[in-house]
Amino acid sequence: MTGRIEDLEIRPAREEDLPAITAIFNYAIDHTTAAWTEEPVSEANRRVWLEDHRQRGLLVIVAQADGLVLGFGALSVFRDWPGYCDTVENSVYVHPKAWSKGVGSQLLAQLIKEAAKCQKHSIVAAISADNQTSIDLHQKMGFSWRGALPEVGIKAGKRLNLAFLTYTFAES
């Protein structure tokens, strides 16, 4: 794959997308600090995750081109307390062959649109502070830097910092 992928179909995730979602997520676990675990997940684990999102009325989307799922994104509960009801947390994961091809931008743009439709006030992005590509993507899409928590995570014996960015919708 070369160049930006323009002909993406962004749609709600379906059961048949779970093998691709699982593979993309497990790649992130094995090769990046995007997911702070070292244990790969099973397709059954992702099925429970997808069903939990559906039951809570939260969005999981995929980006597909030529019949292949190239990435996925989700809006998730930020904190499970009533006072956070109009805030969600976003996640975006892209197949490594589609990195830097606009897939992440298109997924994040759709998540922002969907959060607005659901009348959310804020979206939180909690990103491993060493993931400058994701931080840059979020800032390009209108997220503001809010700070970092030093050494709150660990992966492969390395202490990790957690960066926080937010997208806040204007009051109407």
Side-chain angles (χ1 to χ4, degrees), residues 49-161:
W49 168 82
L50 180 60
E51 185 56 32
D52 179 65
H53 276 72
R54 286 178 177 157
Q55 287 179 0
R56 291 175 179 254
L58 296 166
L59 182 68
V60 178
I61 57 176
V62 297
Q64 180 178 309
D66 299 323
L68 298 173
V69 173
L70 299 176
F72 70 93
L75 294 176
S76 302
V77 170
F78 172 60
R79 290 194 165 183
D80 216 359
W81 287 85
Y84 297 100
C85 64
D86 66 354
T87 297
V88 289
E89 183 173 352
N90 83 313
S91 346
V92 173
Y93 290 89
V94 176
H95 189 287
K97 290 183 179 178
W99 286 353
S100 300
K101 310 247 183 270
V103 175
S105 297
Q106 292 179 63
L107 282 165
L108 187 52
Q110 188 63 37
L111 291 174
I112 293 168
K113 286 179 192 171
E114 294 296 329
K117 280 188 208 172
C118 295
Q119 298 181 319
K120 298 300 178 185
H121 179 71
S122 298
I123 305 171
V124 174
I127 304 168
S128 183
D130 66 353
N131 188 347
Q132 194 61 50
T133 300
S134 185
I135 292 168
D136 290 347
L137 166 65
H138 282 79
Q139 289 181 316
K140 177 181 92 172
M141 299 299 291
F143 281 71
S144 298
W145 176 266
R146 299 299 181 200
L149 301 177
E151 298 184 358
V152 295
I154 190 166
K155 185 168 182 177
K158 178 184 172 191
R159 292 276 171 199
L160 299 171
N161 303 331

